[in-house]
Amino acid sequence: DAKTTQPNSMESNEEEPVHLPCNHSTISGTDYIHWYRQLPSQGPEYVIHGLTSNVNNRMASLAIAEDRKSSTLILHRATLRDAAVYYCILRALYGGSQGNLIFGKGTKLSVKP
Amino acid sequence: ETGVTQTPRHLVMGMTNKKSLKCEQHLGHNAMYWYKQSAKKPLELMFVYNFKEQTENNSVPSRFSPECPNSSHLFLHLHTLQPEDSALYLCASSQGSFNEQFFGPGTRLTVL
């Protein structure tokens, strides 16, 4: 399975933008880039996903490098409620682990008031 | 009830006990999943069910026995567990195996 590399932790100030990086140098052409987050004492929740083009939704934006070897999750204005562990996951369209979410350690985001 | 619910939320059991975890999804999804989240380890996929049929068993010991009687319910039957099985057990569902997964709040299991 293609792997991702994320910083263990990041800090942000409330109401400032946050850029969460993810490296995935071994990504294959049919791997989708998914982001989930896990708030304290909760199950993970979906944030956003993309394949090649940048994506926006009500929660965040996803910027994907042209060579697809890295991506960045952008929270435009961090709130205290955004403090969570953020997981960058490559989801294979084909192959033995097709469709499965393979979680890594993620990035623990702290938001300071 | 909405989304994915799990009961009980907390469970303490001895190594010789038999217990079951229950998951119910109210989203009309056709795929359901069990994950295990141990302290300081990433979430691990345990089982996948599509249309009530088990499609993935991620080398899980036989002391964990899943059951999916219909597309809305998923159980995890536990027997003769070990202390290292103490973890947060999360259930998820999705419409199809490639769409967004919705997770329940988890059952915090402690094996004494």
Side-chain angles (χ1 to χ4, degrees):
Chain A
D1 298 321
K3 302 227 182 289
T4 62
T5 304
Q6 299 178 252
N8 289 333
S9 61
M10 289 184 65
E11 267 193 1
S12 170
N13 294 317
E14 197 176 11
E15 298 193 3
E16 290 186 356
V18 183
H19 291 234
L20 296 161
C22 181
N23 287 320
H24 29 79
S25 58
T26 59
I27 191 171
S28 76
T30 54
D31 286 342
Y32 281 74
I33 302 159
H34 285 244
W35 285 81
Y36 280 71
R37 71 179 185 180
Q38 187 172 18
L39 279 66
S41 303
Q42 294 188 29
E45 64 175 349
Y46 168 82
V47 178
I48 200 167
H49 78 278
L51 182 63
T52 55
S53 306
N54 295 344
V55 185
N56 300 296
N57 66 20
R58 62 174 181 82
M59 288 181 71
S61 295
L62 177 60
I64 301 173
E66 199 169 331
D67 63 5
R68 300 207 329 124
K69 294 186 176 182
S70 65
S71 59
T72 303
L73 180 71
I74 303 165
L75 306 180
H76 295 285
R77 287 185 68 197
T79 68
L80 297 178
R81 198 193 169 278
D82 291 321
V85 179
Y86 286 78
Y87 299 99
C88 170
I89 301 166
L90 298 184
R91 208 164 179 197
L93 191 57
Y94 303 109
S97 61
Q98 166 187 353
N100 289 345
L101 290 176
I102 310 297
F103 286 82
K105 295 181 180 179
T107 296
K108 184 174 183 179
L109 175 67
S110 302
V111 180
K112 295 184 292 184
Chain B
E1 294 275 18
T2 59
V4 180
T5 58
Q6 291 187 242
T7 53
R9 294 293 309 275
H10 300 271
L11 178 63
V12 179
M13 60 186 289
M15 294 190 334
T16 57
N17 291 157
K18 288 185 180 180
K19 296 286 184 185
S20 296
L21 309 185
K22 179 183 176 182
C23 174
E24 184 173 1
Q25 57 98 359
H26 309 268
L27 301 167
H29 290 164
N30 54 27
M32 296 189 77
Y33 312 80
W34 278 117
Y35 289 85
K36 174 184 178 182
Q37 187 171 31
S38 305
K40 300 180 182 179
K41 286 180 70 176
L43 275 87
E44 302 170 68
L45 178 64
M46 300 175 72
F47 300 104
V48 180
Y49 277 82
N50 281 287
F51 294 99
K52 302 187 299 177
E53 298 297 320
Q54 187 181 123
T55 55
E56 183 126 2
N57 176 337
N58 202 18
S59 302
V60 180
S62 59
R63 58 185 183 270
F64 295 92
S65 175
E67 178 191 2
C68 189
N70 55 60
S71 293
S72 298
H73 293 87
L74 186 64
F75 295 89
L76 188 62
H77 304 299
L78 315 171
H79 63 95
T80 58
L81 294 193
Q82 306 298 311
E84 59 265 28
D85 296 322
S86 298
L88 181 67
Y89 289 85
L90 290 155
C91 173
S93 72
S94 65
Q95 183 58 30
S97 58
F98 205 74
N99 287 320
E100 170 188 352
Q101 290 186 17
F102 291 79
F103 285 79
T107 294
R108 174 70 61 188
L109 174 68
T110 303
V111 182
L112 301 176

